Amino acid sequence: MSDAVLPAVLTEALARHGDRVAVTDADGSLGYAELADRARTAADRLARYHARGERLRVGLYATNSVEYVVAYLATLYAGAVPFLADSAFGPFELSRIAEDCGLDLLIHAPSADVRSVVDEMLDDDGEFGYLVVSRARRYDTPRPELLADTEVCRFTSGSTGRPNCIEFSGAAASAAAANWAKGTGLSADDRIACFAALSNGLAFNTSLLAAFLTGASLHLSHGLPTATRVVRLLEITAATRLVAFPALYESILRRSPEEGFATVRTAISSGAPLRETVREGFTRLTGVPIHNYYGVAETGPLTYAPDGTGSGLGAPLPGVRLLAEEQGIRLRSESMGSRYLNAPGVFERRVDDEGYYRTGDQGHLTDGTLHLTGRTSRMVNVGGRKIDPIEVADVLRGAPGVLDAVAFEAGNQHGEPTLAAVVAVETGTTAQSLRTHCVATLPPYKVPGILRLVDRIPANSIGKPSIERLRRLLDTPHGN
């Protein structure tokens, strides 16, 4: 599109910052001018592939790296639409995305299991580094049309069984980055150590375009993020900002490193609840405050806590109008998505006549600071009785031998709604012992009708339980 927003914004930003370091990983580094050159060359390669007379739809399915950033920018420069798939998605989720969204190409690591979604690997001259480009298979189902102003697509976590594809206009994606930079004081002097996947809203909104707008440098890590990797990257890059999910802060606190945080001024957390004991312990250990941030996948970054103290999630960012009401939190933002490409009408039903998005979260604003208190629609209806799955999961966690538990609605053998629970347990713990524990604590109708025992709760890349994978565990014949 000749009037596309993101290519123009990126062209201006990359030209303005010239020889400054733009992005690094364990294998290399690119300055702003080099990044622009690499992205343009790769864009020329993508432009050779045609897509049914429409804009190319390019899936990005890889972990964080310099090459990922090159591929993302190249897709935009080629006039194509990037679809940022979580690298933690398995073949099942990936195949649904490819079919639902009608992908033309997939950029991925050579070792990725993409057999179910690609027809052939395409030749290139190394424009994408270690990443490769494959042609996506054709499906019999017609693919949905993109909105005219859509420039990037991201996905929900897939917790409902099918990752919803959120369409974002270029203006919305640009506003998310600009308002984050303005609201948090991000500057060219910042060096961002990012351990959240760039496909996720936490990193996408705080560490990708936002860094390039300001001339900051973005430092990425390969492999599983561990406390050791965090400390090493912070020391090597003299990072001033750390972006990570709560689980990583817990890991750092358990390891208790004595060094590595001398240059870090700000740590940012989002994506899942951060326990107050972890936040306080991390700050005592490192001297670095953890700044809470509230965002919704469909609406972008919403609040930020600038002082890193207190239990609230901070005040609304620029471009955000937030209302905390008895019926739940409603909001409008300049960074809001347009709709779900693969779920017609679902997104639109959550937007009211005033243009406010109903988040499903409950909370209150106190002295301008947002505090979340729960969800408006988490109840499970079984036989006319309302059950809170969080309450049941908490009871299961209190049973001997239980490491973690997740409860959720599922269908029983007759297809009727029932409460299911997947429980991570120590060796020797039985389903019968868990049922006995529940019966002693809960009314009979709250005891899960289906129990599955596992070694570990499957999670997505931000540490949240993957309900889709948990549902698949219910198909196994044991542990019930």
Side-chain angles (χ1 to χ4, degrees), residues 246 249-250 253 274-283 290:
Y249 292 111
E250 294 180 12
L253 189 57
L274 177 70
R275 289 185 293 155
E276 186 66 15
T277 54
V278 174
R279 187 181 65 80
E280 293 176 349
F282 178 88
T283 301
I290 297 180

Side-chain angles (χ1 to χ4, degrees), residues 45 48-49 120-127 133:
R45 167 65 66 174
R48 301 179 191 180
Y49 306 115
E120 60 174 328
M121 189 178 298
L122 303 174
D123 294 330
D124 63 61
D125 295 321
E127 293 96 339
V133 183

Side-chain angles (χ1 to χ4, degrees), residues 425-436:
V425 298
E426 297 174 347
T427 302
T429 304
T430 66
Q432 184 56 50
S433 69
L434 298 183
R435 290 189 186 281
T436 300

Side-chain angles (χ1 to χ4, degrees), residues 179-473:
N179 289 335
W180 174 262
K182 180 180 179 181
T184 66
L186 183 66
S187 75
D189 294 328
D190 278 307
R191 296 171 295 278
I192 305 168
C194 179
F195 290 88
L198 292 172
S199 59
N200 182 271
L202 172 57
F204 180 81
N205 293 319
T206 71
S207 307
L208 190 52
L209 180 55
F212 300 153
L213 286 179
T214 60
S217 56
L218 175 59
H219 303 281
L220 305 171
S221 174
H222 286 314
L224 182 68
T226 63
T228 300
R229 287 182 183 273
V230 172
V231 171
R232 186 181 302 125
L233 186 64
L234 295 179
E235 290 178 335
I236 292 173
T237 63
T240 60
R241 285 195 176 196
L242 169 60
V243 176
F245 294 112
L248 191 54
Y249 292 111
E250 294 180 12
S251 174
I252 293 170
L253 189 57
R254 287 194 299 270
R255 184 177 179 273
S256 299
E258 297 180 358
E259 299 178 344
F261 295 85
T263 60
V264 180
R265 299 193 299 267
T266 301
I268 297 167
S269 174
S270 187
L274 177 70
R275 289 185 293 155
E276 186 66 15
T277 54
V278 174
R279 187 181 65 80
E280 293 176 349
F282 178 88
T283 301
R284 282 196 303 270
L285 174 68
T286 65
V288 179
I290 297 180
H291 298 254
N292 283 324
Y293 140 55
Y294 173 58
V296 176
E298 292 83 353
T299 63
L302 301 170
T303 71
Y304 179 72
D307 58 3
T309 61
S311 58
L313 296 175
L317 288 163
V320 174
R321 171 66 173 161
L322 189 150
L323 302 175
E325 303 168 326
E326 184 177 351
Q327 296 80 12
I329 294 172
R330 297 188 298 141
L331 60 91
R332 292 189 305 200
S333 74
E334 295 176 356
S335 54
M336 194 154 71
S338 305
R339 65 173 186 179
Y340 297 134
L341 175 64
N342 59 340
V346 175
F347 185 99
E348 293 86 339
R349 285 195 290 273
R350 302 192 75 168
V351 179
D352 64 23
D353 294 339
E354 299 176 89
Y356 281 82
Y357 180 84
R358 294 185 289 268
T359 66
D361 290 323
Q362 289 181 315
H364 57 85
L365 286 166
T366 301
D367 297 327
T369 295
L370 176 65
H371 297 260
L372 294 184
T373 58
R375 293 281 295 173
T376 60
S377 58
R378 71 188 188 195
M379 306 302 284
V380 175
N381 189 329
V382 178
R385 297 177 183 269
K386 299 293 181 65
I387 303 172
D388 184 347
I390 294 178
E391 174 194 8
V392 176
D394 285 342
V395 169
L396 284 165
R397 291 189 191 103
V402 171
L403 304 173
D404 199 1
V406 180
F408 52 94
E409 182 177 337
N412 62 18
Q413 59 185 354
H414 304 295
E416 299 166 339
T418 190
L419 184 69
V422 175
V423 189
V425 298
E426 297 174 347
T427 302
T429 304
T430 66
Q432 184 56 50
S433 69
L434 298 183
R435 290 189 186 281
T436 300
H437 175 81
C438 288
V439 168
T441 311
L442 298 166
Y445 71 88
K446 290 188 178 182
V447 177
I450 301 173
L451 273 176
R452 290 292 180 270
L453 276 54
V454 296
D455 297 326
R456 179 173 56 87
I457 299 292
N460 58 30
S461 64
I462 67 174
K464 288 184 177 180
S466 171
I467 301 299
E468 169 57 38
R469 296 177 192 178
L470 292 172
R471 289 188 189 283
R472 276 184 268 159
L473 288 174

Side-chain angles (χ1 to χ4, degrees), residues 1 4 7 43 47 54-57 73-82 150:
M1 295 183 299
E54 304 175 21
R55 285 179 289 165
L56 275 172
R57 303 184 186 190
L73 269 61
T75 304
L76 295 171
Y77 282 150
V81 178
T150 294

Side-chain angles (χ1 to χ4, degrees), residues 143-189:
R143 68 179 185 174
E145 291 188 11
L146 289 163
L147 294 173
D149 62 354
T150 294
E151 293 187 37
V152 61
C153 290
R154 293 181 36 245
F155 295 88
T156 61
S157 63
S159 59
T160 59
R162 200 176 206 104
N164 285 333
C165 177
I166 314 167
E167 293 184 64
F168 290 94
S169 68
S174 179
N179 289 335
W180 174 262
K182 180 180 179 181
T184 66
L186 183 66
S187 75
D189 294 328

